[in-house]
Amino acid sequence: MIRFITGRLLQGILVLWVLFTLTFFLVKALPYGPFQSEKAMPDHVKAKIIAYYGLDQPVSVQYKRTLKNVLSGDLGLSTRLEGRPVDEVLHQAFPVSLQIGTLAMVLALLIGIPAGVISAARKNSSIDFMLMTGAMIGLCLPSFIIGPVLAETLGRKLLWFPVMGWAAGEYQFLILPVVTLSLGTAAYLARLTRAGMLDTLSQDFVRTARAKGVSGVVILIKHCMRGGLVPAAAFIGPAYAGIISGSVVIETVFQIPGIGRHFIKAIEAADSPMITGIVLLYGSFIVLGNLASDLLNLWLNPRMRNAAS
Amino acid sequence: MAEKIEKGISLWSDAFQRLKKNRAAVVSLFLLAIIMSSCIILPMIPGFLIDPNLQNLMLENLSPSSAHYFGTDHLGRDIFSRLMFGGRISIAVGLITTMVSVFIGVIWGALAGYVNRKLDALMMRIVDILFAMPFLIVVILLRTVLEPKTTQLTDWVVNLIVTDGASVERINTVRTAVEPLCSLIPLFIAIGMLSWLTISRIVRAQVQTVKKLEYVEAARSLGLGNVAILFRHILPNSIGPIVVYTTLTIPSVMLFEAVLSFLGMGVKPPNSSWGVLIEEGASRMFSNPMQLVFPSVFFSLTLLSLNFLGDGLRDALDPKSSKD
């Protein structure tokens, strides 16, 4: 078990290193460099700025230095934001993205899993058909369509919620972005849960339990939930990471000051430290999310436990 | 009657019979046929559609009428013809990128499933690592890095088509014809390079099952080489899951393109796609909501149909999975 976790963590570190290297060289290969969009400045000033950020050195030297800094926890200074430390910017913006992402994930679980269980329990009924059609529509209506539509109807026409914007601690700004962000994941979770539950419900032990006279609800909740949730559990970790990094779109739609705002601008300005910082942050979330899902699966599924140890 | 008895039921005709009974899949197929053929054919009829890039500030933000079926946008461009031309790009991105990713995924997965365990472990570890990438950032970076190469590529393609000594006019016609497609190639490569992962896993699993079957052993004992066994015997028998996941990859790729275009990092003007139109509509939703509704409906209906069709194909090609 411990071997399994350490193995996964080591693989995670490998992933982050590959990710770091790939990002570093992709940013270097961008067809433009930093400090290009700014007003024309004298060459000696520009040379000085470039030297300040260490960008005048050979790429291999820069790579080694950046890697060393990142390993010691220093993400460097943003070239776009006039030398503000990247950690500071992320520290300010990330809690916003994290809050929206976490609430959206919780909402997605609260909608998706019950919907999937009900759908499986009432297989081929009209309620199953309705829920699954809803799930399919949820999958195909991307957040950049749902978001503006909700903002227009619930926000501008009915005046229930603010159309966009953000104020720390004020929940009414959270509702539309969280709902928008959660729907796609909820739809996918519902489909996975339904498939997993149907698979478990068709097994022999369920028939035995039925023959013994166990009631339908008890079979569903007590006997089948654990096995039936395995596919959904495998998805939760990656989905959470996906929601966090996918909030870029939502933050653009609702003008929320999260990571998403920095992300596009950093790429447009070839702001290497900022891009690396964001990539590593998202990458660590994905690694940890996958690990969490695996552990959840080990707990739910004893057969996998033997395979892992 | 006699002919019918002689005919055996192949996997495909059997699957097609089953697909025909799936009402959602049939309706989807029908819708897809209508949307795709109108996007492909209508722009080819001369004079039928208004030039999608023709601006007319006298006609801005018009409501739908017989002259402009879906109205006009903020620059007076005809929305219907922009939808048709944009649809071509969205569909092209969906199909071509899916081809790229299926090509990589099938070869990667087949090799991993067929060769020895060490190489298999290495190849699948690479897939695991790529799976843990934040796709959005990596794709945007890749696309931006590849973008300046498109001019060279266009020149190269033009040189390939045009023979020496052709007139300047001819060169320009060829150039305007190939340029839109060439400018999309960075997008195809960037999305395609990261969307083959699921397919490679599925193909690997399938190859591993099939390669243990007796007829493969028989082929080997007859002295067939590895390449021939893999491509003539194993892959053709893994085609079902490949077809299903190809169908399901198209909508996910189209969605990805739309997200990129929505963020201003995908299809660039003068080209446009449904994603670009949705973005333009969303930014003017408060004054002209219909400009968001039309592209959204086309886009969502296409995705919905592709997903229903993929689900239907899965049930039709793999009777075991359709026990529900």
Side-chain angles (χ1 to χ4, degrees):
Chain A
M1 185 69 183
I2 290 169
R3 237 188 86 197
F4 173 77
I5 296 178
T6 29
R8 277 309 169 90
L9 282 178
L10 283 178
Q11 191 185 330
I13 292 170
L14 180 69
V15 166
L16 290 180
W17 173 71
V18 171
L19 193 52
F20 168 80
T21 310
L22 188 73
T23 317
F24 183 87
F25 287 103
L26 276 178
V27 174
K28 288 286 169 235
L30 283 178
Y32 47 83
F35 320 114
Q36 272 184 3
S37 57
E38 279 152 60
K39 280 168 269 171
M41 49 179 137
D43 281 345
H44 68 277
V45 178
K46 194 167 180 179
K48 221 170 188 171
I49 292 181
I50 285 178
Y52 176 73
Y53 288 101
L55 297 174
D56 51 343
Q57 289 155 322
V59 173
S60 61
V61 177
Q62 284 185 44
Y63 175 74
K64 276 184 211 146
R65 185 177 43 103
T66 320
L67 184 59
K68 220 175 93 187
N69 287 346
V70 166
L71 284 178
S72 64
D74 175 15
L75 292 173
L77 308 174
S78 161
T79 54
R80 183 177 70 89
L81 300 169
E82 289 148 3
R84 262 180 79 195
V86 170
D87 334 22
E88 189 194 298
V89 177
L90 295 185
H91 204 80
Q92 216 169 46
F94 188 57
V96 177
S97 301
L98 189 66
Q99 193 183 4
I100 292 180
T102 310
L103 287 173
M105 189 69 217
V106 172
L107 186 62
L109 288 170
L110 288 179
I111 300 174
I113 291 194
V117 172
I118 293 170
S119 229
R122 295 271 173 274
K123 186 181 76 172
N124 292 338
S125 68
S126 54
I127 196 165
D128 174 30
F129 180 74
M130 259 158 46
L131 284 173
M132 282 306 116
T133 310
M136 191 58 119
I137 292 172
L139 273 185
C140 295
L141 267 182
S143 53
F144 53 84
I145 296 179
I146 297 181
V149 168
L150 287 184
E152 162 75 15
T153 50
L154 303 185
R156 214 180 62 94
K157 288 261 164 67
L158 297 172
L159 300 172
W160 287 358
F161 309 104
V163 172
M164 53 182 64
W166 181 256
E170 300 213 16
Y171 74 94
Q172 70 265 36
F173 287 101
L174 280 169
I175 294 173
L176 288 184
V178 166
V179 170
T180 310
L181 194 52
S182 69
L183 288 180
T185 312
Y188 204 78
L189 271 173
R191 283 166 61 94
L192 281 176
T193 310
R194 178 178 185 269
M197 290 300 285
L198 283 179
D199 205 37
T200 318
L201 281 168
S202 69
Q203 283 176 19
D204 290 343
F205 73 86
V206 175
R207 202 178 38 191
T208 312
R210 284 230 170 89
K212 286 199 304 186
V214 182
S215 82
V217 179
V218 174
I219 291 181
L220 200 66
I221 307 284
K222 227 176 143 189
H223 295 228
C224 292
M225 271 293 235
R226 194 162 162 159
L229 287 185
V230 166
F235 175 66
I236 289 174
Y240 185 42
I243 276 190
I244 300 266
S245 54
S247 69
V248 176
V249 176
I250 297 298
E251 288 171 18
T252 315
V253 171
F254 291 103
Q255 315 226 327
I256 294 165
I259 297 274
R261 201 177 49 161
H262 295 289
F263 163 88
I264 300 287
K265 283 182 186 154
I267 292 180
E268 281 169 349
D271 185 350
S272 175
M274 184 65 89
I275 298 173
T276 316
I278 295 174
V279 163
L280 288 178
L281 186 67
Y282 285 166
S284 334
F285 247 85
I286 296 175
V287 167
L288 291 178
N290 285 341
L291 182 64
S293 258
D294 286 343
L295 292 179
L296 196 59
N297 250 337
L298 287 183
W299 177 66
L300 285 172
N301 191 350
R303 267 170 296 183
M304 279 193 42
R305 224 173 294 163
N306 297 332
S309 60
Chain B
M1 197 59 202
E3 268 175 43
K4 263 188 183 167
I5 295 169
E6 281 168 35
K7 229 175 166 182
I9 298 177
S10 74
L11 170 78
W12 292 105
S13 64
D14 184 35
F16 187 65
Q17 293 302 322
R18 236 173 295 169
L19 191 68
K20 272 204 300 199
K21 285 191 198 127
N22 185 335
R23 219 181 304 154
V26 171
V27 173
S28 302
L29 204 58
F30 191 62
L31 264 177
L32 275 178
I34 292 180
I35 294 179
M36 285 197 174
S37 56
S38 50
C39 284
I40 294 167
I41 296 169
L42 291 186
M44 289 201 294
I45 305 174
F48 185 77
L49 291 175
I50 303 162
D51 178 2
N53 293 320
L54 179 73
Q55 302 185 6
N56 188 343
L57 294 181
M58 306 287 282
L59 299 173
E60 64 185 45
N61 294 327
L62 291 184
S63 306
S65 65
S66 59
H68 301 281
Y69 305 127
F70 288 172
T72 56
D73 69 359
H74 63 291
L75 295 172
R77 293 174 293 191
D78 182 65
I79 292 180
F80 183 71
S81 68
R82 276 172 69 73
L83 264 176
M84 291 297 116
F85 278 91
R88 282 184 147 191
I89 305 252
S90 287
I91 292 166
V93 171
L95 294 181
I96 298 176
T97 312
T98 302
M99 268 158 55
V100 174
S101 65
V102 168
F103 182 75
I104 305 176
V106 167
I107 291 186
W108 193 274
L111 280 180
Y114 192 70
V115 294
N116 58 36
R117 285 185 67 179
K118 254 188 193 160
L119 194 60
D120 173 35
L122 177 73
M123 289 176 88
M124 281 300 119
R125 207 49 10 122
I126 293 175
V127 170
D128 285 347
I129 289 177
L130 288 176
F131 247 118
M133 301 260 156
F135 286 157
L136 197 56
I137 306 190
V138 178
V139 168
I140 291 178
L141 280 174
L142 253 178
R143 199 206 74 99
T144 319
V145 167
L146 293 174
E147 199 174 22
K149 306 271 188 288
T150 52
T151 344
Q152 289 166 330
L153 186 81
T154 318
D155 290 342
W156 185 76
V157 173
V158 169
N159 277 333
L160 212 67
I161 299 173
V162 177
T163 45
D164 291 336
S167 67
V168 181
E169 267 171 45
R170 163 119 174 96
I171 294 178
N172 282 336
T173 346
V174 172
R175 178 170 283 275
T176 33
V178 297
E179 206 155 31
L181 199 62
C182 285
S183 67
L184 288 174
I185 284 180
L187 205 60
F188 298 152
I189 299 177
I191 304 179
M193 268 170 75
L194 286 173
S195 48
W196 54 271
L197 304 172
T198 313
I199 290 188
S200 79
R201 281 189 175 171
I202 286 156
V203 171
R204 170 178 171 269
Q206 188 71 18
V207 167
Q208 280 184 333
T209 332
V210 175
K211 81 171 174 187
K212 290 188 195 114
L213 297 181
E214 277 140 359
Y215 78 91
V216 175
E217 213 170 299
R220 182 162 296 129
S221 63
L222 283 171
L224 223 56
N226 277 330
V227 177
I229 291 180
L230 188 57
F231 284 95
R232 286 215 346 238
H233 293 282
I234 295 186
L235 276 183
N237 281 294
S238 319
I239 203 83
I242 297 177
V243 168
V244 170
Y245 278 87
T246 306
T247 320
L248 292 174
T249 304
I250 300 172
S252 76
V253 164
M254 287 177 73
L255 190 62
F256 206 91
E257 180 274 322
V259 170
L260 289 180
S261 296
F262 185 82
L263 293 172
M265 289 286 175
V267 175
K268 294 272 166 83
N271 281 336
S272 70
S273 70
W274 286 339
V276 175
L277 294 177
I278 290 170
E279 195 273 329
E280 285 175 4
S283 64
R284 287 172 193 82
M285 172 189 60
F286 298 135
S287 48
N288 302 81
M290 289 322 265
Q291 295 183 10
L292 172 65
V293 170
F294 287 124
S296 300
V297 165
F298 271 73
F299 181 71
S300 308
L301 271 185
T302 308
L303 290 198
L304 206 63
S305 310
L306 283 165
N307 274 316
F308 272 124
L309 185 63
D311 275 8
L313 278 175
R314 174 163 41 205
D315 294 346
L317 281 169
D318 184 6
K320 272 173 285 171
S321 79
S322 60
K323 55 188 161 202
D324 49 318

